[in-house]
Amino acid sequence: MYLTEENVRTIAAYTRIALADDEVSHLTADLNAIIEELKPITEYDLSDVEPTYHPIAGLANVMRDDQVKPGLQQSEALALASATEAGHYRIPSILSEGGN
């Protein structure tokens, strides 16, 4: 099965990737070359191979339990700030010309 330019346009739209017409044709050719390179994989007899749903079978929740720890006080969090104002970080504006 090979991809058409329409397939590539659909995938690009779904993934919100803007492609120019020449990019679509190049990408279609590249993807079809990749599919061609992977074709030998389809020749293996895998009828007796059980599907693997997770690479590590029987893996349980590996998350640690939540532990309440004291956080920073506001004064500690602001201690290294180059500028503060009313208990907050003061940063230069990126939307105005004044730089405040």
Side-chain angles (χ1 to χ4, degrees):
M1 176 182 161
Y2 291 97
L3 297 173
T4 65
E5 287 190 6
E6 186 58 35
N7 297 138
V8 172
R9 288 180 199 282
T10 301
I11 294 167
Y14 180 75
T15 57
R16 297 182 181 182
I17 297 173
L19 295 174
D21 289 339
D22 63 325
E23 292 175 311
V24 171
S25 60
H26 287 302
L27 190 56
T28 303
D30 289 345
L31 290 172
N32 284 326
I34 292 169
I35 291 170
E36 184 64 32
E37 288 293 321
L38 295 174
K39 234 180 192 179
I41 293 174
T42 63
E43 297 172 7
Y44 291 109
D45 178 19
L46 302 175
S47 58
D48 294 333
V49 177
E50 183 129 357
T52 302
Y53 297 101
H54 195 282
I56 304 173
L59 184 65
N61 184 1
V62 294
M63 304 292 279
R64 65 169 171 74
D65 291 334
D66 287 339
Q67 299 173 356
V68 177
K69 295 181 179 180
L72 293 174
Q73 295 296 319
Q74 183 178 13
S75 59
E76 293 173 308
L78 296 174
L80 296 177
S82 60
T84 62
E85 183 177 308
H88 302 283
Y89 291 103
R90 181 172 168 83
I91 58 172
S93 174
I94 60 170
L95 301 177
S96 69
E97 293 180 25
N100 296 326

